[in-house]
Amino acid sequence: MKHLIIYAHPNQESLNGQIKQSIEKILEQQEQEVIIRDLYSLGFDPVLSLDDMAQQRKGIVNELVKKEQEYISWADVVTFIYPIWWTGMPAIMKGYIDRVFSYGFAYRYDQGIQKGLLTGKQAIILNTHGKSHEEYSAIGMDKALLLTSDKGIYTYCGFQIKEHFFFDKADRATPEAIQMWLYKIRDVYTMTNSIQVKNA
């Protein structure tokens, strides 16, 4: 299978970085094709400019954006790895969505009806946050995060969400907790790729 990993954390030594490295290793062991887009390392410009918007209305796509769209078109499975900051995704990831998931590529309207254009692709989302699951559940933030990201972005654009992990209390996670999370991650990728082999 063709896997694209979109990673947004500035620190390679972070828990997010550890998760990325673990997934990369799993996929390499399974001899899957993998491309990683590390947005901070790439210096990805997250600002959707007036020029971007004007060009899009003419059907013209910025070369940087076009390149990212080609990676998404290539992939069977797109993995998004980023922390939850201020109850949302980091600005660089939001800017990536703003610019790359553009009208005509990720979605469009047919006679006023919205249609996702990234159908046939799976999404796996991995988030870390400092709050506990109990704290987020008490204020409804757990549901809000799923609604705004899964419903508002990924399935809106046609992705089938394979799994969305929220790893809580990430700033004080024990080695045992991290190991358990990595086992869960391995299971998801093993299952995803084995199903594809059976269907091939």
Side-chain angles (χ1 to χ4, degrees):
M1 295 185 77
K2 297 172 183 173
H3 287 262
L4 174 66
I5 298 174
I6 302 171
Y7 173 75
H9 196 293
N11 184 358
Q12 298 295 330
E13 303 303 318
S14 66
L15 176 57
N16 282 260
Q18 190 175 343
I19 291 169
K20 174 177 69 74
Q21 292 160 20
S22 176
I23 293 170
E24 186 178 7
K25 186 176 179 182
I26 291 166
L27 294 175
E28 286 177 353
Q29 287 173 343
Q30 295 177 354
E31 299 183 346
Q32 306 296 320
E33 296 181 70
V34 187
I35 291 176
I36 298 175
R37 305 300 288 165
D38 181 336
L39 301 187
Y40 282 98
S41 293
L42 291 168
F44 181 81
D45 178 3
V47 178
L48 178 66
S49 67
L50 181 59
D51 184 58
D52 280 338
M53 298 172 74
Q55 295 294 311
Q56 285 178 13
R57 288 193 193 96
K58 298 175 185 174
I60 301 171
V61 180
N62 174 290
E63 283 302 314
L64 171 70
V65 171
K66 186 177 180 181
K67 184 176 182 181
E68 298 304 323
Q69 290 178 342
E70 287 173 352
Y71 285 124
I72 293 173
S73 296
W74 167 85
D76 300 307
V77 182
V78 182
T79 295
F80 300 86
I81 306 172
Y82 53 89
I84 298 297
W85 289 342
W86 290 103
T87 65
M89 57 182 63
I92 198 168
M93 177 61 85
K94 181 60 168 60
Y96 181 93
I97 302 289
D98 287 346
R99 298 190 73 196
V100 178
F101 285 24
S102 60
Y103 183 85
F105 172 73
Y107 71 99
R108 72 167 184 252
Y109 291 99
D110 290 341
Q111 298 181 329
I113 300 173
Q114 185 273 336
K115 181 179 183 182
L117 301 179
L118 300 180
T119 54
K121 298 182 184 300
Q122 295 185 13
I124 300 174
I125 306 115
L126 300 103
N127 296 147
T128 59
H129 56 70
K131 293 286 188 182
S132 68
H133 289 312
E134 292 76 16
E135 287 175 293
Y136 267 175
S137 177
I139 59 174
M141 191 58 69
D142 53 345
K143 293 182 177 63
L145 288 171
L146 285 172
L147 185 64
T148 54
S149 62
D150 293 14
K151 185 80 172 178
I153 299 171
Y154 302 117
T155 60
Y156 186 89
C157 294
F159 280 109
Q160 176 195 355
I161 297 177
K162 180 72 178 174
E163 190 70 63
H164 191 158
F165 289 108
F166 290 98
F167 299 127
D168 71 335
K169 298 184 282 188
D171 55 337
R172 51 195 183 283
T174 64
E176 292 76 19
I178 293 172
Q179 191 58 55
M180 184 181 68
W181 296 339
L182 296 180
Y183 285 144
K184 289 182 178 179
I185 291 169
R186 173 176 288 279
D187 288 347
V188 167
Y189 284 91
T190 300
M191 188 184 309
T192 299
N193 294 322
S194 64
I195 288 172
Q196 181 67 21
V197 169
K198 286 179 182 176
N199 292 338

